[in-house]
Amino acid sequence: MARLRVAYEYTEAEDKSIRLGLFLIASGLLALFILGFCWLSPALQDLQGTAANCTVLSVALSGQHFECTFTCGADCRGTSLYPCLQVYVNLSQAGAPALLHQDEHQLLANPKCSYIPPCERENQKNSEIVTHWQDYWEEEVGLQPFTCYFNPHLRPDDVLLRRTHDESVILHCFLWPTVTFLVGVLIVVLTICAKSLAVKAEALKKRKHS
């Protein structure tokens, strides 16, 4: 009776281990699928942008003002205005002027301006932040070349100062789901091996007793 009880508990533990392993395998595959569509695809599109040397052609305020949304608490939200700074650069590869943007997010949020400040409640503060960046490009950068990124096929008239995604995103998209998958496979394999060894050991015991 005791042997049957031990064997039953052992089999139940094996089943739990196999179920855990299969769950991790399924989770790893599902994570690879989801992350591949949610993170990997936009990251690869972003990394397709070609690195180039840019030099500043002109820095000026366009005279236009755009709205941004600020928050001042859980139930406090409003809009304020910021001036539109336009930094035009010359690409070493293309030789044509292009509008510089901080990153892809700002390009999509406002394709007319080079910089979107963190939205402050007062318009004056927004103007001061933008003016600071105007001085930076005029005085500190000037005619010095710097690295920028552009995609001549998707947006030939726009360049980015930095990429939204980098190679680390692709690494994480593959690393953690793969680790989860491999751990699941390892649990299943070890459980099957342990069960096989237990069966062989039991068979050897029966031969000795017989």
Side-chain angles (χ1 to χ4, degrees):
M1 186 72 178
R3 278 188 183 180
L4 290 174
R5 188 175 178 183
V6 172
Y8 172 76
E9 290 178 354
Y10 184 71
T11 303
E12 188 178 6
E14 287 176 346
D15 291 340
K16 287 182 178 179
S17 297
I18 290 178
R19 284 198 296 268
L20 175 61
L22 293 175
F23 173 76
L24 291 176
I25 291 172
S27 299
L29 292 174
L30 182 62
L32 278 173
F33 179 78
I34 293 175
L35 294 178
F37 276 96
C38 295
W39 285 2
L40 189 57
S41 180
L44 288 175
Q45 289 180 2
D46 194 14
L47 290 176
Q48 286 176 356
T50 305
N53 286 326
C54 288
T55 52
V56 176
L57 291 177
S58 64
V59 181
L61 296 174
S62 68
Q64 291 179 290
H65 287 75
F66 292 89
E67 287 188 352
C68 62
T69 302
F70 66 85
T71 56
C72 47
D75 299 321
C76 178
R77 182 183 295 267
T79 59
S80 59
L81 299 175
Y82 66 91
C84 181
L85 176 66
Q86 293 181 329
V87 179
Y88 281 94
V89 299
N90 186 36
L91 287 168
S92 59
Q93 281 87 339
L99 184 62
L100 180 69
H101 303 272
Q102 290 291 311
D103 53 36
E104 192 176 57
H105 291 317
Q106 292 206 2
L107 168 60
L108 296 176
N110 189 343
K112 294 184 178 181
C113 303
S114 295
Y115 178 69
I116 301 175
C119 196
E120 299 289 344
R121 188 166 187 169
E122 290 81 13
N123 296 340
Q124 181 61 31
K125 287 187 177 180
N126 291 328
S127 297
E128 290 174 358
I129 296 173
V130 173
T131 302
H132 168 76
W133 279 101
Q134 181 182 10
D135 294 339
Y136 169 79
W137 286 108
E138 287 178 340
E139 299 173 7
E140 294 190 31
V141 178
L143 298 177
Q144 297 179 12
F146 60 93
T147 302
C148 60
Y149 303 92
F150 80 107
N151 191 321
H153 304 292
L154 293 179
R155 291 183 175 274
D157 299 326
D158 298 292
V159 296
L160 303 178
L161 181 61
R162 59 177 179 269
R163 288 169 171 163
T164 308
H165 304 95
D166 56 22
E167 288 80 358
S168 63
V169 175
I170 300 177
L171 174 64
H172 287 290
C173 280
F174 279 110
L175 177 62
W176 301 115
T178 303
V179 169
T180 303
F181 175 80
L182 292 177
V183 169
V185 171
L186 183 63
I187 291 174
V188 172
V189 170
L190 290 178
T191 303
I192 293 174
C193 289
K195 188 174 183 178
S196 177
L197 290 174
V199 170
K200 290 180 179 179
E202 189 68 25
L204 287 174
K205 284 183 181 179
K206 288 181 179 179
R207 287 180 184 178
K208 287 182 181 179
H209 287 297
S210 60

